[in-house]
Amino acid sequence: MIGGNGRLAAIAAVLAVVALAGTAFVARFQPQAVFDARGVVGILVAAAAWSRHRQAPATAAAAVVVTVVGYVLAGQPYGPILLFVVLASFALARLRHARTAVPVCVGACCALAAALWTRLDTQPSHVVATLLLAWPVIFVAVPALAGALVRTRADAMERERAALIARGADEERLRVAREVHDIAGHGFAVVAMQAGVALTVFDEQPAQARVSLEAIRSASEHALHELQATLDTLHAGASTARDVPDLVERVRAGGLPVALTVTGAPGALGERESATVYRLVQEALTNVLRHAGPTAAAEVDVDYGERDVSVAVRDTGAGGAAEPGRGLRGLQQRVEELRGTFAARERPTGGYEVAATFPHGGAR
């Protein structure tokens, strides 16, 4: 396979052939100029110098300009050799900062204007002034500005790409933090409640204490499994809407009466929607364990509709936390990212309610 340098050399050779043929053609319309061996050498040298523009843009541009100046001073025909000045100026401004490109381009403009001036002694003054201005502008300034524009646009795209990557990393860190909070928070809440029960009945009801200790072990193992899946793979093994009945059973085993009502099936849910259903139920039940009091009971209603998913968790306890914590705020953000609605409020009849509705993947 031809490398980058080989491709540039091949392109330079093709351009040299085109420039030689073009110069031989235009020389017929310039009787005052003679296309000879000096012109051929000048075109070949200019093409070779341009082919090095990626390795050393400033040096390549300077070499091209010096070659073209010598070509003009030698009385060779005006023509395609100026294409190498255009290409070298563009490459210089595209590959190097202005502090390098500007001095070289200014020097190129002055050198070309001076070389041209030596061949305009028979022209009217206004023609001389126009040509001396047009040459540097057309063959150096305009290509350099185009190269600078391409460089500026590429830099802006790179900055935007870096910003997108950084934002994606921040969002991923936030997502993982929410996952860890939901998993660990629920597991510790179950463990704390069961540990309290075990301590209370340890002496008088050892059998009940054993049940509580078994519940602590089960909740701990499940939380560790979920944390491992989240931290190791960030996706694989995460709990979904189909795991809600198992979650409710674990909470019941921990001593909280929970009534579960499920309408429909989660078959049409996408990965994010399914995980959100599970986290809604998990965080809401965690808050019941933490804040509702020892005599509270909970109701979980999940409705998988044709277009929307609705989740509601209600309890009969003393109410939720005074202020929404990290878990509820994370749930709200999850639901809003799915273009849904979220509410966490005290119930008029007592207790607390967490409710959310969002469209599922099939509906979108």
Side-chain angles (χ1 to χ4, degrees), residues 69 72-73 108-119 132 136:
V69 167
V72 174
L73 292 176
C109 290
C110 295
L112 287 175
L116 178 62
W117 180 72
T118 62
R119 294 177 59 171
L132 292 180

Side-chain angles (χ1 to χ4, degrees), residues 45 52 54 65 96 109 113 162 171 242 246 254 259 290 299 362:
V45 171
R52 305 295 297 174
R54 287 194 178 171
V65 171
R96 291 293 182 266
C109 290
E171 291 175 352
R242 297 186 183 276
D246 292 336
R290 287 175 174 172
E299 299 176 358

Side-chain angles (χ1 to χ4, degrees), residues 51-67:
S51 70
R52 305 295 297 174
H53 70 270
R54 287 194 178 171
Q55 291 80 10
T59 302
V64 168
V65 171
V66 169
T67 302

Side-chain angles (χ1 to χ4, degrees), residues 339-356:
R339 297 185 296 177
T341 59
F342 176 85
R345 53 185 174 251
E346 292 189 6
R347 301 171 63 193
T349 57
Y352 204 73
E353 178 182 35
V354 174

Side-chain angles (χ1 to χ4, degrees), residues 7 65-66 90 116 120 144-145 213-214 279 291 306 314:
R7 285 194 295 269
V65 171
V66 169
F90 175 85
L116 178 62
L120 297 178
L145 288 174
L213 292 174
E214 289 290 341
R279 296 303 179 206
H291 306 294
E306 294 183 1
R314 309 175 189 89

Side-chain angles (χ1 to χ4, degrees), residues 108-187:
C109 290
C110 295
L112 287 175
L116 178 62
W117 180 72
T118 62
R119 294 177 59 171
L120 297 178
D121 52 348
T122 61
Q123 299 295 330
S125 58
H126 67 279
V127 174
V128 172
T130 300
L131 291 176
L132 292 180
L133 178 63
W135 258 46
V137 170
I138 293 174
F139 298 118
V140 178
V142 171
L145 288 174
L149 179 61
V150 171
R151 177 184 176 83
T152 301
R153 182 178 180 184
D155 289 345
M157 292 178 65
E158 182 61 27
R159 288 193 297 271
E160 182 179 358
R161 177 176 174 272
L164 287 173
I165 292 174
R167 186 161 63 248
D170 290 340
E171 291 175 352
E172 184 65 9
R173 284 193 292 269
L174 178 60
R175 188 190 70 80
V176 173
R178 289 191 312 219
E179 293 285 342
V180 172
H181 171 274
D182 293 345
I183 294 168
H186 177 77

